[in-house]
Amino acid sequence: MKLFIDTANINDIRTASRWGCIKGATTNPSLIAKEGRKLTDVIKEIVELIDGPISAEVQEASTEKMVEEAKELAKLHKNIVVKVPMTMDGIATVSQLSKLGIKTNVTLVFSVPQALMACEAGATYISPFMGRVDDAGDSGAELIEKIMAMIANYGYETEVIAASIRNLAHVEQAALAGADIATIPFAVLEKMVIHPLTTAGLQIFRDAAKK
Ligand code: G3P
């Protein structure tokens, strides 16, 4: 499972880019707003730090305007993936962008029928939101499992980005369900390397080495 970073914070992206295992980045309007910066300014910096798919979300709502906005975003860099919301206008946008060769990431996916519709429209990626499904009392892990099974049934080329990841359990569930990618906040990425037995074992080895 490929690991993407889910943030618009340039310092965190710079740090994570040095680890060598982060293959892409995703942003959304909430993450951009948190940084208090313009979307295009942030995206131009991210593409210099990470050599992989970088998702930038459209802000318009109609198909016509989303397509125009997407074309401008795609001009910023060859690695730009245009993030489009899971609405009927969004689906029509994805269909058009797919024919133009512009990569898309359909976001705010919460069900198999939504995922199916996005795959049929030619989405490059879809982003089911694990954490928000759990928040609503359902299982984010089961949603990823079902979407992976649906994609396998029909051989769609659309890749699944497990999103809205809040903890290590989500990372494990996404990987066991066979998600292609997980997009993960910086704090959870840091936690992925930590285990109390690793810390304790390392201390024992270091103490032994001193003797
Ligand atoms: O990738 C989507 C993600 O940023 C949403 O996460 O925690 O706001 O549900 P969250």
Side-chain angles (χ1 to χ4, degrees):
M1 181 170 73
K2 288 192 278 287
L3 303 175
F4 287 8
I5 185 165
D6 191 26
T7 185
N9 183 284
I10 293 298
N11 286 335
D12 287 349
I13 293 171
R14 186 173 291 111
T15 302
S17 72
R18 294 189 191 118
W19 302 337
C21 60
I22 304 301
K23 304 290 165 57
T26 52
T27 62
N28 64 39
S30 305
L31 294 171
I32 299 282
K34 206 164 136 193
E35 301 305 314
R37 303 184 60 201
K38 242 179 85 183
L39 171 70
T40 48
D41 292 346
V42 175
I43 294 296
K44 281 181 195 162
E45 289 187 37
I46 299 176
V47 294
E48 295 303 320
L49 293 168
I50 294 188
D51 184 19
I54 310 297
S55 286
E57 190 158 341
V58 290
Q59 291 165 24
E60 298 289 349
S62 71
T63 301
E64 196 188 358
K65 286 190 173 166
M66 278 193 271
V67 168
E68 286 316 305
E69 195 183 355
K71 285 181 187 166
E72 292 307 309
L73 287 170
K75 276 185 206 158
L76 291 176
H77 194 271
K78 66 176 171 48
N79 286 345
I80 297 296
V81 174
V82 180
K83 217 170 173 187
V84 178
M86 181 64 229
T87 60
M88 206 46 101
D89 276 83
I91 288 299
T93 301
V94 168
S95 300
Q96 290 192 30
L97 296 179
S98 155
K99 286 179 196 118
L100 295 172
I102 294 176
K103 291 192 173 142
T104 53
N105 174 1
V106 176
T107 188
L108 292 163
V109 169
F110 292 93
S111 74
V112 175
Q114 287 182 323
L116 178 64
M117 188 80 110
C119 290
E120 280 292 322
T124 318
Y125 304 97
I126 53 172
S127 293
F129 276 33
M130 296 184 79
R132 293 194 198 183
V133 170
D134 287 355
D135 290 347
D138 287 323
S139 165
E142 266 178 36
L143 175 63
I144 303 286
E145 282 166 23
K146 289 196 277 187
I147 288 174
M148 296 315 297
M150 180 275 288
I151 287 177
N153 279 349
Y154 300 105
Y156 290 123
E157 286 176 15
T158 304
E159 288 192 76
V160 171
I161 304 180
S164 183
I165 285 190
R166 310 263 177 80
N167 52 49
L168 295 179
H170 284 148
V171 177
E172 185 171 322
Q173 289 158 356
L176 293 177
D180 301 283
I181 297 149
T183 190
I184 307 176
F186 184 79
V188 179
L189 285 168
E190 281 189 313
K191 284 185 191 149
M192 284 173 68
V193 298
I194 297 167
H195 192 285
L197 290 178
T198 306
T199 310
L202 184 60
Q203 192 58 50
I204 292 166
F205 287 154
R206 287 196 170 147
D207 291 346
K210 275 190 213 142
K211 284 180 193 160

